[in-house]
C-alpha cells in the first residue's frame, strides 16, 4: 500500500487503532484480573465495555469508507503490552502491581487519545463528517477514562509501598 494521499494516511491510522483496540480489549481483562483494589478493577471493567463500543464505532467508520475492517499491527500498543508482560514477570507485590496497572493503563490512554486526535482532522479533510463524529466520541471516552485513571492514581495510598 502506498502512502501518497490523505485517504491512505486515514486508512492506515484507522487500521492501526482498530488493531490497538482489539489488543486492549484483552489487556483490560488482564489488568482487571491482576488488580486487587475494587475501584481500580471496576474502572478496567467499565473501560473494557467502552472499548467494545470503540471497536463497533471503528467498524462503522470502515463501512462508511466502503472497506472491510482490517487490522494493521499497532507496534506502539504491542510495545506497551510487551513492557507490561515484562513487568509482571518480575513478581511485584500486589500494591506495586495495582499502582503499575494504573500507570500502564494511563500510557495506553495517551496513545489512543493521540491516535484519535490525529484521525479526526483527516476524516474532516476527506469530508467524512459522520466518521469524524464517531471518532470524536471514541476520543471523548478515552479522555474520560484517562481522567478517571488519574483520579484513582492520585487517590492511591502510595505510602503503602516501601520507598526503598
Amino acid at each position: 500500500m502506498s502512502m501518497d494521499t490523505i485517504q491512505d494516511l486515514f486508512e492506515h491510522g484507522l487500521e492501526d487503532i482498530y488493531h490497538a483496540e482489539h489488543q486492549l480489549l484483552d489487556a483490560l481483562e488482564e489488568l482487571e484480573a491482576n488488580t486487587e483494589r475494587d475501584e481500580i478493577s471496576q474502572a478496567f471493567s467499565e473501560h473494557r465495555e467502552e472499548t467494545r463500543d470503540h471497536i463497533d464505532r471503528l467498524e462503522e467508520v470502515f463501512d462508511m469508507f466502503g472497506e472491510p475492517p482490517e487490522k494493521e499491527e499497532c507496534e506502539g500498543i504491542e510495545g506497551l503490552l510487551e513492557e507490561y508482560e515484562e513487568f509482571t514477570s518480575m513478581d511485584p507485590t500486589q500494591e506495586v502491581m495495582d499502582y503499575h496497572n494504573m500507570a500502564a493503563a494511563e500510557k495506553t490512554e495517551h496513545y489512543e487519545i493521540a491516535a484519535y486526535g490525529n484521525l479526526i482532522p483527516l476524516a474532516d479533510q476527506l469530508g467524512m463528517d459522520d466518521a469524524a463524529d464517531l471518532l470524536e466520541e471514541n476520543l471523548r471516552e478515552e479522555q474520560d477514562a484517562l481522567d478517571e485513571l488519574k483520579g484513582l492514581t492520585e487517590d492511591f495510598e502510595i505510602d503503602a509501598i516501601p520507598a526503598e
Side-chain angles (χ1 to χ4, degrees), residues 45-91:
S45 176
E46 289 169 7
H47 193 55
R48 189 165 191 267
E49 292 305 312
E50 284 181 342
T51 300
R52 284 189 178 101
D53 293 339
H54 298 170
I55 290 169
D56 290 344
R57 287 187 203 112
L58 290 171
E59 289 173 352
E60 284 184 59
V61 173
F62 277 107
D63 286 344
M64 291 174 188
F65 210 76
E67 296 289 332
E70 290 186 31
K71 298 175 190 172
E72 170 76 29
E73 184 173 357
C74 179
E75 293 184 26
I77 290 297
E78 292 296 333
L80 290 171
L81 295 175
E82 185 178 312
E83 181 181 288
Y84 180 79
E85 291 302 321
E86 184 178 313
F87 181 84
T88 60
S89 73
M90 294 184 222
D91 197 30

Side-chain angles (χ1 to χ4, degrees), residues 49 92 96 158:
E49 292 305 312
V96 169
I158 202 157

Side-chain angles (χ1 to χ4, degrees), residues 23 38 86 154:
Q23 293 299 102
D38 290 338
E86 184 178 313
E154 289 170 5

Side-chain angles (χ1 to χ4, degrees), residues 49-163:
E49 292 305 312
E50 284 181 342
T51 300
R52 284 189 178 101
D53 293 339
H54 298 170
I55 290 169
D56 290 344
R57 287 187 203 112
L58 290 171
E59 289 173 352
E60 284 184 59
V61 173
F62 277 107
D63 286 344
M64 291 174 188
F65 210 76
E67 296 289 332
E70 290 186 31
K71 298 175 190 172
E72 170 76 29
E73 184 173 357
C74 179
E75 293 184 26
I77 290 297
E78 292 296 333
L80 290 171
L81 295 175
E82 185 178 312
E83 181 181 288
Y84 180 79
E85 291 302 321
E86 184 178 313
F87 181 84
T88 60
S89 73
M90 294 184 222
D91 197 30
T93 65
Q94 189 61 53
E95 288 293 319
V96 169
M97 189 74 209
D98 285 357
Y99 190 86
H100 184 266
N101 285 348
M102 291 184 300
E106 282 187 40
K107 288 179 187 180
T108 63
E109 292 306 323
H110 281 286
Y111 185 92
E112 291 173 286
I113 288 166
Y116 286 116
N118 287 305
L119 281 171
I120 293 165
L122 298 175
D124 286 336
Q125 185 68 27
L126 292 168
M128 299 180 67
D129 296 338
D130 291 340
D133 290 345
L134 291 170
L135 297 169
E136 181 71 38
E137 192 171 347
N138 282 5
L139 175 62
R140 278 192 304 275
E141 288 179 358
E142 299 295 5
Q143 290 168 329
D144 290 345
L146 178 60
D147 289 344
E148 182 178 3
L149 284 166
K150 284 181 177 181
L152 289 169
T153 302
E154 289 170 5
D155 292 344
F156 191 90
E157 294 174 21
I158 202 157
D159 293 342
I161 301 173

